[in-house]
Amino acid sequence: MSTTTVHTPAPARPASAPYRLSAARLVRSEFIKLLTLRSAWWSLGVTAALAIGISLLMAWATTDFGGDFNPVLAITAPMQFTMLVAGILGALAITGEYSTGMIRSTFAAEPRRGAVLVAKAVVVAVLLAVTTVVTSTVALLASAPIFGDRTLDWGSPEQSVIPLALGVLAMATFALLGLGWGFIIRSGAGAIAATVGILFVLPIVLSLFALGGESWAWIVDLGQYLPASAAQVVTSPAPDDFWPALITLLAWPAATLLGGWAVLRTRDA
């Protein structure tokens, strides 16, 4: 009596997915997510309105200054206000996903959490940089008739191009600072409070110690290592202590983003 052997066919291998989430697609998806938020457009609109409006007001206010005022300062000065909006936008770029639970879908599509952080950082930085370039260009064109003969000295880069370029860099770093706090705290209110506290409140608190005299001067001196003070230095025409200020400006967002990366690796979504 013979035995019949039944051969069971091996299960077919699943076909590989036609698409994979490459770095370019990940960045594109983060752009789509951010630009579909009304809060992002409101933030960019407020940034543009403040930057252009304050620049024009400063241009009108300096008509009696003669040649003692560098017009580039009218373009970079609004950053003391727009930096807050940039930081808030950076915080909202990630905390909104935590509040809605979308962050779980994001990590399901891209399990490499560090890649998600880098993609969001690229998107936020590019968006604020482009916005700053546009608003600075509009402010320059709109204020040119007001300044008249007191135009920017384009032949001297340290008096014109360099401060404007560093203003673009500064706005991107402010947004990255907020993004880093968003990853660390995961709460919109908390991340915004931390960002605004560092950019706006802490400089005021440290300056109050000047009332205490020389014994408290070292606390006042710490203010130069805050991001807002560093940005003010690097965007000034031909500033002193340029390199320490630039390092300070870059170190703050780098530290918060590294902290956010550490939190992502050790905490559930």
Side-chain angles (χ1 to χ4, degrees):
M1 186 174 181
S2 61
T3 303
T4 303
T5 303
V6 178
H7 296 280
T8 303
R13 293 182 179 181
S16 58
Y19 302 104
R20 68 183 183 88
L21 199 58
S22 62
R25 290 193 176 101
L26 182 57
V27 170
R28 179 175 177 270
S29 66
E30 293 299 335
F31 261 116
I32 293 173
K33 283 193 290 185
L34 185 58
L35 292 179
T36 51
L37 296 176
R38 280 189 294 178
S39 59
W41 288 105
W42 274 106
S43 299
L44 296 176
V46 171
T47 300
L50 286 175
I52 298 171
I54 296 175
S55 294
L56 292 177
L57 287 175
M58 290 193 65
W60 279 319
T62 59
T63 52
D64 297 331
F65 287 7
D68 297 332
F69 183 82
N70 190 330
V72 76
L73 295 176
I75 310 302
T76 59
M79 183 179 59
Q80 299 299 314
F81 301 94
T82 56
M83 66 179 181
L84 299 177
V85 187
I88 291 172
L89 175 59
L92 294 177
I94 179 59
T95 56
E97 290 198 43
Y98 279 109
S99 63
T100 60
M102 185 183 290
I103 192 66
R104 290 189 289 271
S105 300
T106 299
F107 290 149
E110 177 51 87
R112 298 174 301 171
R113 299 188 175 190
V116 173
L117 185 147
V118 171
K120 286 186 177 294
V122 169
V123 168
V124 168
V126 169
L127 188 60
L128 263 297
V130 171
T131 301
T132 307
V133 170
V134 172
T135 55
S136 297
T137 302
V138 173
L140 281 170
L141 295 175
S143 61
I146 301 174
F147 283 115
D149 295 336
R150 300 178 297 127
T151 57
L152 288 178
D153 185 7
W154 296 107
S156 178
E158 65 274 8
Q159 298 289 329
S160 55
V161 177
I162 294 177
L164 292 175
L166 290 171
V168 175
L169 174 65
M171 286 294 289
T173 61
F174 296 143
L176 293 178
L177 179 68
L179 180 67
W181 281 117
F183 273 109
I184 294 172
I185 300 177
R186 300 188 174 189
S187 165
I192 290 172
T195 304
V196 174
I198 292 174
L199 293 178
F200 185 74
V201 179
L202 196 54
I204 297 176
V205 172
L206 294 183
S207 66
L208 293 177
F209 283 89
L211 301 175
E214 290 295 329
S215 60
W216 296 98
W218 65 275
I219 296 182
V220 179
D221 293 339
L222 291 177
Q224 64 184 320
Y225 298 105
L226 293 175
S229 300
Q232 190 173 8
V233 171
V234 299
T235 56
S236 299
D240 297 328
D241 299 327
F242 172 81
W243 290 110
L246 181 61
I247 293 172
T248 298
L249 182 64
L250 298 176
W252 276 94
T256 56
L257 288 174
L258 285 175
W261 177 74
V263 168
L264 279 179
R265 291 177 58 88
T266 57
R267 191 187 301 175
D268 292 336

